[in-house]
Amino acid sequence: MPVNPNSQIEVTAFDWVPDFARGYVRDLRPRWACEEIGLDYAEHLISAINRPADHFLFQPWGQVPVLNDGGIRLFESGAILLHLAEKDARLMPRDAQARANTLAWLFAAYNSVEPMLFELGNVDLFAADEEWAKLRRPSLIEFIQGRLGRLNDAIGDKPYLTGEFSVADIAMATVLREAVEAGLIAEQPRLQAYLDRCLARPAFQRAMDAQLNAFSEDAGPPAA
């Protein structure tokens, strides 16, 4: 297992989150990248309820993950994935065009797909009883369906976004998981098959297990 308390690479993650967020916190992304290439990393677990003041020095909004790679610190999961991918051709190909394709899809996951799914999560989870959310949802769903339809067509018969698995697939698959419960992935058969392939990778399950194992009920809020 790449989780190694003595590693010079350290991933900051939460020690507890509510049930609905488990398996979806974004430290899953660098964990998955490390698992794919067998790269050891240590965990630095912090409270999501009382976030330590010094954490805001490295992540202005107090979010996770933060990566410390031998003194080089990064925040934002996309930047962290790119940093880790540069370490191994299995995540970032060395051929110039293949690298360009991988970079384009990495940014597409975060810029062209994730924002709408993030908004849908807000509408469905945090503002479901608000009138504005009920009014917004139909047009938002229509827009997302259009984006996912284009993505479905772009994948075509390829097993992964650029043909070979790369860091772009870690980004895209973790983004797409957020649309599963809304039924939007099942509408696109190629996209569903693509997501199934990504999530069937042993490295994904190891990353998921590592995140879930880090949570402690003792770190959560007191029982009511």
Side-chain angles (χ1 to χ4, degrees):
M1 287 287 290
V3 176
N4 173 6
N6 299 315
S7 176
Q8 72 160 6
I9 296 176
E10 181 183 80
V11 175
T12 298
F14 290 138
D15 60 8
W16 177 90
V17 293
D19 287 347
F20 73 84
R22 297 186 178 199
Y24 290 90
V25 189
R26 290 175 184 176
D27 61 281
L28 182 66
R29 296 165 178 178
R31 290 179 187 272
W32 186 356
C34 288
E35 291 284 357
E36 286 286 350
I37 59 176
L39 184 65
D40 286 354
Y41 68 93
E43 297 172 314
H44 175 54
L45 303 179
I46 64 170
S47 173
I49 302 169
N50 298 304
R51 301 177 196 192
D54 62 354
H55 181 60
F56 290 87
L57 298 175
F58 309 115
Q59 219 297 348
W61 298 278
Q63 299 169 322
V64 297
V66 169
L67 184 79
N68 182 356
D69 184 355
I72 299 173
R73 295 181 183 271
L74 298 91
F75 67 97
E76 290 295 334
S77 63
I80 293 170
L81 284 184
L82 183 54
H83 176 82
L84 294 172
E86 297 290 4
K87 295 177 179 291
D88 197 299
R90 287 173 289 179
L91 293 180
M92 180 64 72
R94 302 304 185 232
D95 173 78
Q97 186 58 61
R99 173 184 167 82
N101 294 342
T102 301
L103 286 171
W105 277 114
L106 175 67
F107 280 86
Y110 291 136
N111 291 341
S112 297
V113 181
E114 187 172 45
M116 291 76 62
L117 296 180
F118 185 83
E119 185 180 356
L120 181 62
N122 187 35
V123 163
D124 283 352
L125 226 99
F126 301 110
D129 295 330
E130 300 287 338
E131 188 61 27
W132 69 264
K134 297 173 184 176
L135 294 172
R136 171 60 176 144
R137 195 177 193 279
S139 61
L140 177 60
I141 290 292
E142 182 178 1
F143 186 79
I144 293 172
Q145 287 171 325
R147 282 290 166 102
L148 295 184
R150 290 289 187 179
L151 179 57
N152 184 75
D153 293 343
I155 289 174
D157 296 325
K158 298 190 299 293
Y160 299 108
L161 291 171
T162 66
E164 299 292 330
F165 184 85
S166 73
V167 70
D169 297 295
I170 294 177
M172 188 66 79
T174 50
V175 165
L176 291 177
R177 288 179 69 228
E178 299 175 11
V180 170
E181 289 191 13
L184 298 173
I185 302 300
E187 296 175 354
Q188 309 290 347
R190 287 174 175 169
L191 203 54
Q192 180 68 68
Y194 162 75
L195 183 58
D196 290 344
R197 277 191 295 277
C198 290
L199 302 188
R201 296 179 69 86
F204 169 78
Q205 191 57 59
R206 291 195 298 268
M208 175 72 78
D209 290 344
Q211 182 182 93
L212 296 178
N213 288 339
F215 296 136
S216 168
E217 295 308 318
D218 293 338

